[in-house]
Amino acid sequence: MTPQPSQRLVENSPPLFHLQGPGLNLTFGPRVLIMGILNVTPDSFSDGGLFLKTDDAIRRAEALVEEGADLIDVGGESSRPGADPVPAEEEIRRVVPVIEHLSKRLSVPISIDTSKAGVALRAIAAGARIINDISALRFDPEMAPLAAETGAPVVLMHMQGTPKEMQARPVYTDVVREITAFFKSRIRFAERSGIARDRILLDPGIGFGKTTEHNLEILARLSEFRSLGRPVLIGPSRKSFIGRVLDLPAAERLEGTAAAVAAGILHGASIVRVHDVRAMVRVARMVEAIERFRHD
Ligand code: 8Y4
């Protein structure tokens, strides 16, 4: 018997998740959420004062929301391979004024990209709603208690090694199995720390202690993380594995990012963290439109 279109729609709906926290109520499943990246870090071109940087960041965030971002990820420390750590005070000086302003003026929630509890605390006080911790609560012993006490949902990201040495020589027997085991262990740790399971997001950490081949395998096998029952976030945007496959510099990685985002969505990603919000919103809506016509 031919299934009714409505039955097909039900059968092929991706798993529904509701992520709740203080001042936060997000739904994913019908639509993938687009997280726009906002770096509040000095670059080689800007020698302007702190006010100018803050002002720039606010304007950039407003543009990301106009492009269709569902969340804004604010970070004050470069997490790029080999980057030097930034003192908490400096990170706070960079992100807090931006979050204070944006949380009052923006319609979308803000996540704080930090591994430091002191920064997360001040960011949450300024209006951030989600903790995006690339260390999965491992670098700062105060981070898990803070997440538990504030009730802020937390992204648990996988990384082999530390940002400084992670790309030296990443080795795995089976990258997806090892990340799955890591997720189980970090979920257990988070729960023991008083963080509710329904406030946890998982992220395989594309580019963090992985070779090009590891990153491609993670995207190809992303659906294996669905068994953990928590939403999966991916951050492939403009990363070097795209540059390696296509032999292109960061400024030329839009199409490669689009392909990685499309593959990630097809394999079950619930949130994608990207620079090019307008383009990736279109990619997401198109993949979702196609997916509604799947039969299996
Ligand atoms: C060009 C532009 C090349 C940016 C590399 C990069 C993730 C993340 C980062 C991620 C989560 C980055 C903070 C690295 N990546 N957080 N943060 N997941 N949850 N590099 O994949 O964007 S920073």
Side-chain angles (χ1 to χ4, degrees), residues 37 73 79-80 113 132 134 155 157 203 205-206 208 233-240 250 253 273 275:
I37 300 171
D73 189 43
S79 321
R80 289 190 189 200
D113 157 22
N132 176 25
I134 62 161
V155 179
M157 197 198 79
D203 183 336
I206 291 173
F208 287 84
L233 185 157
I234 54 165
S237 192
R238 299 183 188 173
K239 283 183 179 169
S240 63
R253 295 174 190 168
R273 179 184 181 274
H275 301 88

PDB file of all heavy atoms in Angstrom, residues 37 73 79-80 113 132 134 155 157 203 205-206 208 233-240 250 253 273 275, ligand 1:
ATOM      1  N   ILE A  37      28.278  33.035  13.841  1.00  0.00           N
ATOM      2  CA  ILE A  37      29.532  33.206  14.591  1.00  0.00           C
ATOM      3  C   ILE A  37      29.855  34.684  14.753  1.00  0.00           C
ATOM      4  O   ILE A  37      29.906  35.429  13.774  1.00  0.00           O
ATOM      5  CB  ILE A  37      30.707  32.516  13.854  1.00  0.00           C
ATOM      6  CG1 ILE A  37      30.443  31.012  13.708  1.00  0.00           C
ATOM      7  CG2 ILE A  37      32.030  32.803  14.568  1.00  0.00           C
ATOM      8  CD1 ILE A  37      31.450  30.295  12.798  1.00  0.00           C
ATOM      9  N   ASP A  73      26.587  33.090  18.463  1.00  0.00           N
ATOM     10  CA  ASP A  73      27.640  32.548  19.333  1.00  0.00           C
ATOM     11  C   ASP A  73      28.727  33.599  19.491  1.00  0.00           C
ATOM     12  O   ASP A  73      29.429  33.925  18.533  1.00  0.00           O
ATOM     13  CB  ASP A  73      28.221  31.269  18.707  1.00  0.00           C
ATOM     14  CG  ASP A  73      29.163  30.532  19.645  1.00  0.00           C
ATOM     15  OD1 ASP A  73      28.835  30.414  20.844  1.00  0.00           O
ATOM     16  OD2 ASP A  73      30.223  30.053  19.177  1.00  0.00           O
ATOM     17  N   SER A  79      39.858  30.223  19.146  1.00  0.00           N
ATOM     18  CA  SER A  79      40.020  28.788  19.410  1.00  0.00           C
ATOM     19  C   SER A  79      40.746  28.113  18.256  1.00  0.00           C
ATOM     20  O   SER A  79      40.731  26.905  18.125  1.00  0.00           O
ATOM     21  CB  SER A  79      38.653  28.129  19.592  1.00  0.00           C
ATOM     22  OG  SER A  79      37.784  28.954  20.302  1.00  0.00           O
ATOM     23  N   ARG A  80      41.351  28.913  17.414  1.00  0.00           N
ATOM     24  CA  ARG A  80      42.045  28.341  16.256  1.00  0.00           C
ATOM     25  C   ARG A  80      43.252  27.521  16.699  1.00  0.00           C
ATOM     26  O   ARG A  80      43.852  27.806  17.730  1.00  0.00           O
ATOM     27  CB  ARG A  80      42.509  29.453  15.306  1.00  0.00           C
ATOM     28  CG  ARG A  80      41.315  30.083  14.604  1.00  0.00           C
ATOM     29  CD  ARG A  80      41.777  30.991  13.504  1.00  0.00           C
ATOM     30  NE  ARG A  80      40.643  31.746  12.979  1.00  0.00           N
ATOM     31  CZ  ARG A  80      40.642  32.326  11.795  1.00  0.00           C
ATOM     32  NH1 ARG A  80      41.687  32.227  11.021  1.00  0.00           N
ATOM     33  NH2 ARG A  80      39.595  32.984  11.388  1.00  0.00           N
ATOM     34  N   ASP A 113      30.838  31.468  23.822  1.00  0.00           N
ATOM     35  CA  ASP A 113      31.905  30.545  23.441  1.00  0.00           C
ATOM     36  C   ASP A 113      33.076  30.775  24.381  1.00  0.00           C
ATOM     37  O   ASP A 113      33.856  31.702  24.195  1.00  0.00           O
ATOM     38  CB  ASP A 113      32.264  30.812  21.967  1.00  0.00           C
ATOM     39  CG  ASP A 113      33.668  30.371  21.583  1.00  0.00           C
ATOM     40  OD1 ASP A 113      34.238  29.498  22.269  1.00  0.00           O
ATOM     41  OD2 ASP A 113      34.195  30.898  20.575  1.00  0.00           O
ATOM     42  N   ASN A 132      28.734  27.494  25.271  1.00  0.00           N
ATOM     43  CA  ASN A 132      29.393  26.719  24.223  1.00  0.00           C
ATOM     44  C   ASN A 132      30.830  26.492  24.661  1.00  0.00           C
ATOM     45  O   ASN A 132      31.689  27.356  24.503  1.00  0.00           O
ATOM     46  CB  ASN A 132      29.332  27.472  22.890  1.00  0.00           C
ATOM     47  CG  ASN A 132      30.086  26.740  21.784  1.00  0.00           C
ATOM     48  OD1 ASN A 132      30.258  25.524  21.843  1.00  0.00           O
ATOM     49  ND2 ASN A 132      30.544  27.482  20.786  1.00  0.00           N
ATOM     50  N   ILE A 134      34.128  24.452  24.257  1.00  0.00           N
ATOM     51  CA  ILE A 134      34.877  23.541  23.381  1.00  0.00           C
ATOM     52  C   ILE A 134      35.630  22.477  24.184  1.00  0.00           C
ATOM     53  O   ILE A 134      36.110  21.507  23.621  1.00  0.00           O
ATOM     54  CB  ILE A 134      35.850  24.290  22.435  1.00  0.00           C
ATOM     55  CG1 ILE A 134      36.912  25.057  23.223  1.00  0.00           C
ATOM     56  CG2 ILE A 134      35.079  25.206  21.480  1.00  0.00           C
ATOM     57  CD1 ILE A 134      38.136  25.417  22.386  1.00  0.00           C
ATOM     58  N   VAL A 155      26.868  23.153  25.431  1.00  0.00           N
ATOM     59  CA  VAL A 155      27.370  22.383  24.287  1.00  0.00           C
ATOM     60  C   VAL A 155      28.612  21.632  24.751  1.00  0.00           C
ATOM     61  O   VAL A 155      29.571  22.256  25.216  1.00  0.00           O
ATOM     62  CB  VAL A 155      27.744  23.296  23.092  1.00  0.00           C
ATOM     63  CG1 VAL A 155      28.291  22.462  21.932  1.00  0.00           C
ATOM     64  CG2 VAL A 155      26.554  24.141  22.649  1.00  0.00           C
ATOM     65  N   MET A 157      31.588  19.764  23.427  1.00  0.00           N
ATOM     66  CA  MET A 157      32.312  19.530  22.178  1.00  0.00           C
ATOM     67  C   MET A 157      33.498  18.606  22.375  1.00  0.00           C
ATOM     68  O   MET A 157      34.221  18.722  23.364  1.00  0.00           O
ATOM     69  CB  MET A 157      32.779  20.860  21.567  1.00  0.00           C
ATOM     70  CG  MET A 157      33.154  20.738  20.094  1.00  0.00           C
ATOM     71  SD  MET A 157      34.164  22.117  19.507  1.00  0.00           S
ATOM     72  CE  MET A 157      35.764  21.607  20.151  1.00  0.00           C
ATOM     73  N   ASP A 203      28.603  17.962  20.206  1.00  0.00           N
ATOM     74  CA  ASP A 203      29.293  18.504  19.029  1.00  0.00           C
ATOM     75  C   ASP A 203      30.570  17.694  18.807  1.00  0.00           C
ATOM     76  O   ASP A 203      31.421  17.636  19.701  1.00  0.00           O
ATOM     77  CB  ASP A 203      29.614  19.983  19.291  1.00  0.00           C
ATOM     78  CG  ASP A 203      30.266  20.676  18.108  1.00  0.00           C
ATOM     79  OD1 ASP A 203      30.878  20.000  17.262  1.00  0.00           O
ATOM     80  OD2 ASP A 203      30.179  21.921  18.046  1.00  0.00           O
ATOM     81  N   GLY A 205      33.107  18.386  17.185  1.00  0.00           N
ATOM     82  CA  GLY A 205      34.318  19.212  17.159  1.00  0.00           C
ATOM     83  C   GLY A 205      35.111  19.104  15.874  1.00  0.00           C
ATOM     84  O   GLY A 205      36.311  18.784  15.897  1.00  0.00           O
ATOM     85  N   ILE A 206      34.454  19.389  14.775  1.00  0.00           N
ATOM     86  CA  ILE A 206      35.144  19.356  13.472  1.00  0.00           C
ATOM     87  C   ILE A 206      36.356  20.287  13.540  1.00  0.00           C
ATOM     88  O   ILE A 206      36.246  21.438  13.976  1.00  0.00           O
ATOM     89  CB  ILE A 206      34.165  19.768  12.341  1.00  0.00           C
ATOM     90  CG1 ILE A 206      33.105  18.677  12.144  1.00  0.00           C
ATOM     91  CG2 ILE A 206      34.922  20.058  11.041  1.00  0.00           C
ATOM     92  CD1 ILE A 206      31.991  19.057  11.183  1.00  0.00           C
ATOM     93  N   PHE A 208      38.984  20.006  15.486  1.00  0.00           N
ATOM     94  CA  PHE A 208      39.670  20.032  16.784  1.00  0.00           C
ATOM     95  C   PHE A 208      40.375  18.705  17.050  1.00  0.00           C
ATOM     96  O   PHE A 208      39.809  17.785  17.625  1.00  0.00           O
ATOM     97  CB  PHE A 208      38.680  20.354  17.897  1.00  0.00           C
ATOM     98  CG  PHE A 208      38.231  21.790  17.927  1.00  0.00           C
ATOM     99  CD1 PHE A 208      37.180  22.216  17.119  1.00  0.00           C
ATOM    100  CD2 PHE A 208      38.868  22.720  18.732  1.00  0.00           C
ATOM    101  CE1 PHE A 208      36.769  23.547  17.140  1.00  0.00           C
ATOM    102  CE2 PHE A 208      38.464  24.053  18.756  1.00  0.00           C
ATOM    103  CZ  PHE A 208      37.421  24.464  17.955  1.00  0.00           C
ATOM    104  N   LEU A 233      25.257  19.487  17.232  1.00  0.00           N
ATOM    105  CA  LEU A 233      25.682  20.753  16.632  1.00  0.00           C
ATOM    106  C   LEU A 233      26.962  20.473  15.848  1.00  0.00           C
ATOM    107  O   LEU A 233      27.804  19.706  16.311  1.00  0.00           O
ATOM    108  CB  LEU A 233      25.921  21.776  17.750  1.00  0.00           C
ATOM    109  CG  LEU A 233      26.260  23.238  17.433  1.00  0.00           C
ATOM    110  CD1 LEU A 233      25.885  24.110  18.638  1.00  0.00           C
ATOM    111  CD2 LEU A 233      27.703  23.465  17.085  1.00  0.00           C
ATOM    112  N   ILE A 234      27.105  21.094  14.669  1.00  0.00           N
ATOM    113  CA  ILE A 234      28.374  20.971  13.934  1.00  0.00           C
ATOM    114  C   ILE A 234      28.887  22.359  13.538  1.00  0.00           C
ATOM    115  O   ILE A 234      28.099  23.267  13.268  1.00  0.00           O
ATOM    116  CB  ILE A 234      28.278  20.083  12.667  1.00  0.00           C
ATOM    117  CG1 ILE A 234      27.157  20.559  11.743  1.00  0.00           C
ATOM    118  CG2 ILE A 234      28.130  18.614  13.065  1.00  0.00           C
ATOM    119  CD1 ILE A 234      27.251  19.960  10.336  1.00  0.00           C
ATOM    120  N   GLY A 235      30.215  22.472  13.489  1.00  0.00           N
ATOM    121  CA  GLY A 235      30.853  23.738  13.129  1.00  0.00           C
ATOM    122  C   GLY A 235      31.892  23.565  12.029  1.00  0.00           C
ATOM    123  O   GLY A 235      33.081  23.688  12.283  1.00  0.00           O
ATOM    124  N   PRO A 236      31.442  23.288  10.797  1.00  0.00           N
ATOM    125  CA  PRO A 236      32.403  23.061   9.710  1.00  0.00           C
ATOM    126  C   PRO A 236      32.853  24.346   8.994  1.00  0.00           C
ATOM    127  O   PRO A 236      33.788  24.313   8.186  1.00  0.00           O
ATOM    128  CB  PRO A 236      31.598  22.202   8.722  1.00  0.00           C
ATOM    129  CG  PRO A 236      30.178  22.684   8.879  1.00  0.00           C
ATOM    130  CD  PRO A 236      30.050  23.067  10.359  1.00  0.00           C
ATOM    131  N   SER A 237      32.234  25.475   9.332  1.00  0.00           N
ATOM    132  CA  SER A 237      32.343  26.692   8.532  1.00  0.00           C
ATOM    133  C   SER A 237      33.773  27.114   8.212  1.00  0.00           C
ATOM    134  O   SER A 237      34.573  27.411   9.109  1.00  0.00           O
ATOM    135  CB  SER A 237      31.630  27.829   9.269  1.00  0.00           C
ATOM    136  OG  SER A 237      31.481  28.945   8.422  1.00  0.00           O
ATOM    137  N   ARG A 238      34.085  27.166   6.938  1.00  0.00           N
ATOM    138  CA  ARG A 238      35.362  27.695   6.395  1.00  0.00           C
ATOM    139  C   ARG A 238      36.591  26.978   6.936  1.00  0.00           C
ATOM    140  O   ARG A 238      37.716  27.486   6.805  1.00  0.00           O
ATOM    141  CB  ARG A 238      35.505  29.196   6.705  1.00  0.00           C
ATOM    142  CG  ARG A 238      34.417  30.060   6.092  1.00  0.00           C
ATOM    143  CD  ARG A 238      34.690  31.524   6.400  1.00  0.00           C
ATOM    144  NE  ARG A 238      33.610  32.406   6.004  1.00  0.00           N
ATOM    145  CZ  ARG A 238      33.556  33.701   6.292  1.00  0.00           C
ATOM    146  NH1 ARG A 238      34.532  34.266   6.988  1.00  0.00           N
ATOM    147  NH2 ARG A 238      32.543  34.441   5.900  1.00  0.00           N
ATOM    148  N   LYS A 239      36.420  25.812   7.573  1.00  0.00           N
ATOM    149  CA  LYS A 239      37.562  25.181   8.228  1.00  0.00           C
ATOM    150  C   LYS A 239      38.533  24.562   7.235  1.00  0.00           C
ATOM    151  O   LYS A 239      38.214  24.345   6.073  1.00  0.00           O
ATOM    152  CB  LYS A 239      37.082  24.170   9.284  1.00  0.00           C
ATOM    153  CG  LYS A 239      36.615  24.898  10.557  1.00  0.00           C
ATOM    154  CD  LYS A 239      36.186  23.979  11.665  1.00  0.00           C
ATOM    155  CE  LYS A 239      35.761  24.832  12.880  1.00  0.00           C
ATOM    156  NZ  LYS A 239      35.079  24.027  13.905  1.00  0.00           N
ATOM    157  N   SER A 240      39.741  24.245   7.743  1.00  0.00           N
ATOM    158  CA  SER A 240      40.847  23.908   6.839  1.00  0.00           C
ATOM    159  C   SER A 240      40.628  22.584   6.106  1.00  0.00           C
ATOM    160  O   SER A 240      41.184  22.396   5.024  1.00  0.00           O
ATOM    161  CB  SER A 240      42.172  23.913   7.583  1.00  0.00           C
ATOM    162  OG  SER A 240      42.158  22.932   8.577  1.00  0.00           O
ATOM    163  N   ALA A 250      40.674  30.328   3.115  1.00  0.00           N
ATOM    164  CA  ALA A 250      39.468  30.506   3.944  1.00  0.00           C
ATOM    165  C   ALA A 250      38.409  31.371   3.252  1.00  0.00           C
ATOM    166  O   ALA A 250      37.213  31.094   3.348  1.00  0.00           O
ATOM    167  CB  ALA A 250      39.836  31.090   5.299  1.00  0.00           C
ATOM    168  N   ARG A 253      35.857  29.426   0.758  1.00  0.00           N
ATOM    169  CA  ARG A 253      35.314  28.135   1.217  1.00  0.00           C
ATOM    170  C   ARG A 253      33.798  28.123   1.389  1.00  0.00           C
ATOM    171  O   ARG A 253      33.256  27.237   2.060  1.00  0.00           O
ATOM    172  CB  ARG A 253      36.006  27.711   2.521  1.00  0.00           C
ATOM    173  CG  ARG A 253      37.492  27.444   2.312  1.00  0.00           C
ATOM    174  CD  ARG A 253      38.231  27.167   3.624  1.00  0.00           C
ATOM    175  NE  ARG A 253      39.672  27.146   3.404  1.00  0.00           N
ATOM    176  CZ  ARG A 253      40.582  27.165   4.371  1.00  0.00           C
ATOM    177  NH1 ARG A 253      40.198  27.205   5.642  1.00  0.00           N
ATOM    178  NH2 ARG A 253      41.871  27.141   4.069  1.00  0.00           N
ATOM    179  N   ARG A 273      26.833  25.834  13.132  1.00  0.00           N
ATOM    180  CA  ARG A 273      27.536  27.063  13.536  1.00  0.00           C
ATOM    181  C   ARG A 273      28.318  27.568  12.329  1.00  0.00           C
ATOM    182  O   ARG A 273      29.254  26.901  11.882  1.00  0.00           O
ATOM    183  CB  ARG A 273      28.469  26.737  14.708  1.00  0.00           C
ATOM    184  CG  ARG A 273      29.282  27.912  15.227  1.00  0.00           C
ATOM    185  CD  ARG A 273      30.243  27.447  16.319  1.00  0.00           C
ATOM    186  NE  ARG A 273      31.034  28.542  16.864  1.00  0.00           N
ATOM    187  CZ  ARG A 273      32.167  28.961  16.328  1.00  0.00           C
ATOM    188  NH1 ARG A 273      32.674  28.379  15.256  1.00  0.00           N
ATOM    189  NH2 ARG A 273      32.824  29.972  16.870  1.00  0.00           N
ATOM    190  N   HIS A 275      29.675  31.107   9.631  1.00  0.00           N
ATOM    191  CA  HIS A 275      29.939  32.523   9.379  1.00  0.00           C
ATOM    192  C   HIS A 275      28.923  33.099   8.385  1.00  0.00           C
ATOM    193  O   HIS A 275      28.457  34.211   8.559  1.00  0.00           O
ATOM    194  CB  HIS A 275      31.329  32.715   8.768  1.00  0.00           C
ATOM    195  CG  HIS A 275      32.462  32.201   9.603  1.00  0.00           C
ATOM    196  ND1 HIS A 275      32.907  30.900   9.535  1.00  0.00           N
ATOM    197  CD2 HIS A 275      33.237  32.830  10.525  1.00  0.00           C
ATOM    198  CE1 HIS A 275      33.917  30.747  10.383  1.00  0.00           C
ATOM    199  NE2 HIS A 275      34.130  31.897  10.998  1.00  0.00           N
TER     200      HIS A 275
HETATM  201  C1  8Y4 B   1      38.401  29.677   9.386  1.00  0.00           C
HETATM  202  C2  8Y4 B   1      37.493  30.219  10.263  1.00  0.00           C
HETATM  203  C3  8Y4 B   1      39.091  28.565   9.768  1.00  0.00           C
HETATM  204  C4  8Y4 B   1      37.307  29.662  11.510  1.00  0.00           C
HETATM  205  C5  8Y4 B   1      38.923  28.019  11.014  1.00  0.00           C
HETATM  206  C6  8Y4 B   1      38.005  28.562  11.900  1.00  0.00           C
HETATM  207  C7  8Y4 B   1      33.607  25.273  16.862  1.00  0.00           C
HETATM  208  C8  8Y4 B   1      33.294  26.006  18.019  1.00  0.00           C
HETATM  209  C9  8Y4 B   1      34.962  26.927  16.962  1.00  0.00           C
HETATM  210  C10 8Y4 B   1      32.856  24.089  16.586  1.00  0.00           C
HETATM  211  C11 8Y4 B   1      31.599  24.583  18.595  1.00  0.00           C
HETATM  212  C12 8Y4 B   1      36.827  28.011  13.980  1.00  0.00           C
HETATM  213  C13 8Y4 B   1      34.209  28.053  19.113  1.00  0.00           C
HETATM  214  C14 8Y4 B   1      37.136  27.359  15.273  1.00  0.00           C
HETATM  215  N1  8Y4 B   1      34.646  25.870  16.215  1.00  0.00           N
HETATM  216  N2  8Y4 B   1      32.312  25.685  18.872  1.00  0.00           N
HETATM  217  N3  8Y4 B   1      34.164  27.041  18.065  1.00  0.00           N
HETATM  218  N4  8Y4 B   1      31.859  23.794  17.490  1.00  0.00           N
HETATM  219  N5  8Y4 B   1      30.609  24.209  19.413  1.00  0.00           N
HETATM  220  N6  8Y4 B   1      37.892  27.974  13.138  1.00  0.00           N
HETATM  221  O1  8Y4 B   1      33.077  23.357  15.625  1.00  0.00           O
HETATM  222  O2  8Y4 B   1      35.762  28.499  13.741  1.00  0.00           O
HETATM  223  S1  8Y4 B   1      36.246  28.059  16.641  1.00  0.00           S
END
